[in-house]
Amino acid sequence: MGKRVMIVGSGGIGEAVGLILANAKEFSGHLLFLDRYKEASERASDLVDEHSPDTVTSSADSIDMHDTQPLETIAVDYDLILDCLPGTFAPALAKIALQCKCHYVNLTEYVKETEEVTEIAEGAETGFVLQAGLAPGFINILAMRLFNDFCKQYNVDKVETIQMKVGALSEHVEPPHYYAFTWSPIGVATEYIKDAYAVRDYKEVTIPSLSQREEYVIDGDRYEDNFTSGGAADLPTALAGRVKNLDYKTLRYIGHYDWVSETIGTLRADNVIDELEDKMLADIPRVENDKVIVYASVNGHASDGSRRMLNKSYTVRPSQIGGVTLRAIQSTTAGPMAQVGLMLLSGDYKGPVFQSMIDPKKFLEGSIVDSIYGPY
């Protein structure tokens, strides 16, 4: 009969993860789409039905996350919950997964909700993968692969630096903001304001977002980066003591962070995230022509004392899945979620599963990730 998967949240990412999973050669089973708006779940189900005829899909009546009893009734018949809702709902869905003995995957970078889900998942017989999108998510598993390869190749157990950088960008920008929205405006505003987690001198620390801008050349193109919240996942905790300096920074076109800093300086401190979102929505356009830049590096000394570095970059543009064009931000976010979902269904993971705990070789060589990002 195959596996039964609930996709809760049928917007752009939920729709994409269903399409990707349904077209994966390793998946056979049933997909159920749920959403606050019934028309959204029906649209997602119809799309997947049309473009992946070998997978059975359905949609349910609209859901209300303030009354989860109907969801609990449905979930008992499913093997996996893919949580594509805003991060504030993650603990509620994780509780349903625990009660119904489902595997669970989410995308949120929210720290408080991640800590709550971790507590819920302790001791569970099923796996709960946290923060399984692009950043956090793919970038952290890539960094772990580079770290493991560096230690093995150069016969060491510590490194000097691990850098992780991701940019969800438009193909074209204009002054003065040098940016266009390709994903959630509230997500951008939040990551610009909340503190970032990092490692300094082998210890986990917090660093104010937007506090260190630098310029980088990646694949011949010049960008600027800066600290933002959420993208480091659990790596600062997992690798403290083994890496001297580790951080995650967001890539932008040069000039953008000047505009952001000037804009934040005009806002009230008591409501800065909402005001920044409003200001960006008023001044910055949304676009469809996007690309995603991913870069990670590990730098340190080999056992013979020589300086060494391993690095890897990806540039992902819109791609075709089952004949449907997905924007780069859709596929690079939904693809990792679908890949770890398949890994959970194999039964190899139980309890809370962080990015540092996922087998990076198996993940990066998985058919879904490889088809979207390209080979490692």
Side-chain angles (χ1 to χ4, degrees), residues 230-308:
D234 76 310
L235 266 61
T237 302
L239 294 180
R242 298 190 67 190
V243 56
K244 185 175 182 180
N245 296 297
L246 173 151
D247 54 56
Y248 169 83
K249 299 172 83 174
T250 295
L251 296 167
R252 294 289 185 249
Y253 291 115
I254 293 173
H256 174 69
Y257 284 122
D258 272 340
W259 182 86
V260 173
S261 296
E262 292 171 4
T263 300
I264 290 174
T266 68
L267 305 179
R268 298 195 313 270
D270 60 339
N271 198 27
V272 66
I273 292 177
D274 290 342
E275 285 198 27
L276 179 58
E277 181 191 13
D278 290 343
K279 177 64 175 174
M280 289 193 296
L281 283 170
D283 292 1
I284 298 175
R286 291 176 180 266
V287 299
E288 297 295 318
N289 57 332
D290 68 333
K291 64 179 180 179
V292 167
I293 312 297
V294 178
Y295 176 82
S297 68
V298 177
N299 198 320
H301 291 93
S303 57
D304 64 4
S306 61
R307 169 75 71 175
R308 300 287 184 171

Side-chain angles (χ1 to χ4, degrees), residues 18-24 31 45-57 321-324:
L19 187 68
I20 291 168
L21 194 56
N23 281 277
L31 299 178
S45 178
D46 290 344
L47 177 77
V48 175
D49 269 342
E50 181 180 354
H51 295 279
S52 51
D54 293 334
T55 299
V56 178
T57 73
I321 305 292
V324 178

